[in-house]
Each structure stands twice: as C-alpha cells, then as structure tokens.
Amino acid sequence: MNVLPSGEQWVLRGGGYEATVVSVGGGLRGLTYDDRPVLLGYGEDEAAHAGIGQHLFPWPNRITDGKYTFEGAEQQLYLTEPARQNAIHGLTRWANWLRVDDGSDPTALVAGHRLHGQPGYPHQLDLRLDYRLADGLTVTATATNIGRSAAPYGYGAHPYLSVGRSIDDCVLEFTASQRLEVSADRMQPVGLTPVAGSEYDFSGGRVIGATSIDNAFTGLDGTWTVSLTDPDSGARSALTSDTPWMQLFTGEAVGRTALAVEPMTCPPDAFITGQDLVVLKPGESHTTSFSVAV
C-alpha cells in the first residue's frame, strides 16, 4: 500500500465550495469555490510546505530559544527552526490525525488527535478539529487538558488567502491598531508599534504592491476580517475570526502567490511572557474558530 505524503484525503463539498482535509496534521490541503482557489493548496503527491493549511497546537508562531518557565519548572523544546534557534508552530503539524465522525454529512468532518507529553511540553491534550461548509468554511479547534497538571496553551492556523494571481496586484484590507515588530535575524519580538499612517495601514483597502509583511497584529476590536481582492476580476477571499492576534505573511516562501492570514490566540513568545497565554487546568477546554469565504 502506498501512502500519500499528506496521509488520508477527506473531501467535503457544499454551497459551491470544495475542501480537502488531510490526516497529516489534520490540515487543509485546499479550498475552492466554483473551482476558483479561495485558499492556496498543494498537490496530492506533495507534503505541506511553508505551513500551508496547517494547525498550530499547542502554540502558534515562535518561542525564542525554545526555552520557557511554567509554574516554576524550566522547559526546553526541540529547536524546530534551527536557523533562527526557535521552536516554531507547535507540536502537531506532522502528527497523524484520525477522522472521528461517521462521514455521513458531505459538508462536515471532525478529526481528533491525542497529544502526549514530550520534552519541553510534559502535558496531555485531546485535540479536535471541526470542519463545516455552508456559506464558506468554518474551522473550530478545541483542546482539552486530559492530564493531571495545568498546561500552557495557544492555538493558531496557517491558511493562505488566494485569488489566483500574484498578491502584489491585489487589494488588501484589514484593520488593526498595533503591529509587533520583530528582529530581522531571529524574528524575536521587539515591541508594539502603531499601525495607523504606516506602510502597514490597509484599513481603507489598497494594493499591496512590493510591501513585505511577516508580523503579528493586535488591537483587532473583536471579530475581524482580512480580505484579498483581485481588482480586475473582482474575485475575493476573506478570513474572519475573533482571536486577539493574527499574523500576516506576504508569502515570499510561496512566491507571493498568496497571503498567509494566521489567527492566533496569543503572540510569539507567549510561553515566555505569558501575554494572552491560555492556562488549561485539568479537565478544562478551550475553543477557537475561524471562517473563510468569498
């Protein structure tokens, strides 16, 4: 038996949308509407690259040096971004997930994964991803602490909005009050700076051009939306969430063919700083959701 690089393939259809969910990482291999890409995908014979469609449990973004202290215990994570000496994007991107619904609804899917304790993260979590197609795709991520001690936790996702052409020619629109500056060499957080009036101010919607972005934003005022629009065809893709943070990345790793919009429950280094960090006590759960639509 030959196994595909992204594992099992589960296709959902409804409302003109088609989504492909995979067992490796529980990830989203593609999303289209009337055969037009809404999210950047990758081939059936490929592994996910540049984070496309991946879920980031139990932390999004980076932990500098992979080192943090929680409840008095020092922890050292594996450095999964060795060039910058960081632990990046959690522990489950390459883990095998199981489909746990009965498959009777062609518009919905539930996948699950049990995260066991390991070096740097000695906690046990049951993780669940709910996918549902209606007027777009809604993804709901839930983590439950099934261990005996409190666990630090954060969640993020890594979809790339696409309208089928270079983002340089597209109109980006979103509103945020602050941007997290990071160091050029290690992407280490430096501090927050106002967005208004800067080159990162897209509150009125404007063409991206040559602007390069790889930063977290906050001050999102509750439910927020990031939209990408082709000014010639009118094709639009948008992501909506209510997380307090989101990361934007102009996709240099994919040739600027799509824009990564990453909802995040906490900023980079949250395990170190505690900023917006969720602490799950035994038996507690945390749920996050985001939606993608045209």
Side-chain angles (χ1 to χ4, degrees):
M1 179 180 70
N2 293 321
V3 177
L4 294 172
S6 55
E8 293 188 62
Q9 312 287 304
W10 302 307
V11 178
L12 306 180
R13 296 183 179 91
Y17 290 89
E18 180 175 296
T20 301
V21 180
V22 296
S23 62
V24 174
L28 185 59
R29 191 170 66 77
L31 177 67
T32 61
Y33 178 75
D34 285 349
D35 297 323
R36 191 269 286 177
V38 179
L39 295 177
L40 180 68
Y42 57 94
E44 186 179 78
D45 293 327
E46 297 179 280
H49 52 276
I52 296 175
Q54 293 185 316
H55 297 276
L56 318 177
F57 295 96
W59 75 85
N61 216 288
R62 295 167 172 85
I63 298 175
T64 300
D65 296 321
K67 185 181 296 184
Y68 68 98
T69 300
F70 181 71
E71 295 194 334
E74 294 185 359
Q75 302 292 347
Q76 177 65 65
L77 295 155
Y78 292 123
L79 300 182
T80 47
E81 190 183 39
R84 292 183 172 131
Q85 294 291 289
N86 296 319
I88 189 170
H89 289 339
L91 301 170
T92 68
R93 291 193 293 161
W94 308 106
N96 190 58
W97 289 62
L98 301 176
R99 184 168 187 170
V100 297
D101 67 311
D102 62 11
S104 61
D105 186 345
T107 69
L109 178 147
V110 181
H113 175 70
R114 176 161 290 178
L115 175 63
H116 289 282
Q118 53 193 277
Y121 195 81
H123 309 285
Q124 288 73 43
L125 303 179
D126 266 354
L127 307 175
R128 173 182 169 122
L129 290 165
D130 289 72
Y131 288 90
R132 183 167 296 276
L133 288 174
D135 297 324
L137 174 68
T138 297
V139 183
T140 302
T142 302
T144 301
N145 184 350
I146 58 170
R148 296 183 176 181
S149 60
Y153 175 76
Y155 168 77
H158 210 300
Y160 285 78
L161 294 180
S162 172
V163 291
R165 67 181 296 182
S166 168
I167 65 167
D168 296 14
D169 306 318
C170 295
V171 174
L172 170 62
E173 185 172 3
F174 73 94
T175 300
S177 65
Q178 294 180 302
R179 177 180 64 91
L180 183 64
E181 292 187 342
V182 294
S183 64
D185 55 347
R186 299 187 62 195
M187 300 290 288
Q188 186 173 1
V190 174
L192 291 169
T193 186
V195 171
S198 73
E199 64 177 316
Y200 304 96
D201 187 349
F202 288 84
S203 56
R206 60 185 176 85
V207 172
I208 294 174
T211 303
S212 179
I213 310 172
D214 195 359
N215 299 90
F217 293 80
T218 192
L220 302 170
D221 294 331
T223 301
W224 51 268
T225 298
V226 176
S227 65
L228 187 71
T229 305
D230 181 342
D232 296 327
S233 69
R236 177 180 182 268
S237 295
L239 187 146
T240 299
S241 186
D242 61 359
T243 56
W245 294 84
M246 59 105 172
Q247 178 93 3
L248 292 184
F249 171 48
T250 41
E252 282 76 6
V254 294
R256 294 178 66 96
T257 57
L259 175 76
V261 181
E262 308 168 38
M264 303 191 303
T265 62
C266 59
D269 274 355
F271 276 26
I272 298 172
T273 66
Q275 186 173 11
D276 290 325
L277 182 69
V278 175
V279 176
L280 288 174
K281 296 179 181 178
E284 287 186 341
S285 297
H286 184 274
T287 296
T288 312
S289 65
F290 66 92
S291 298
V292 183
V294 296

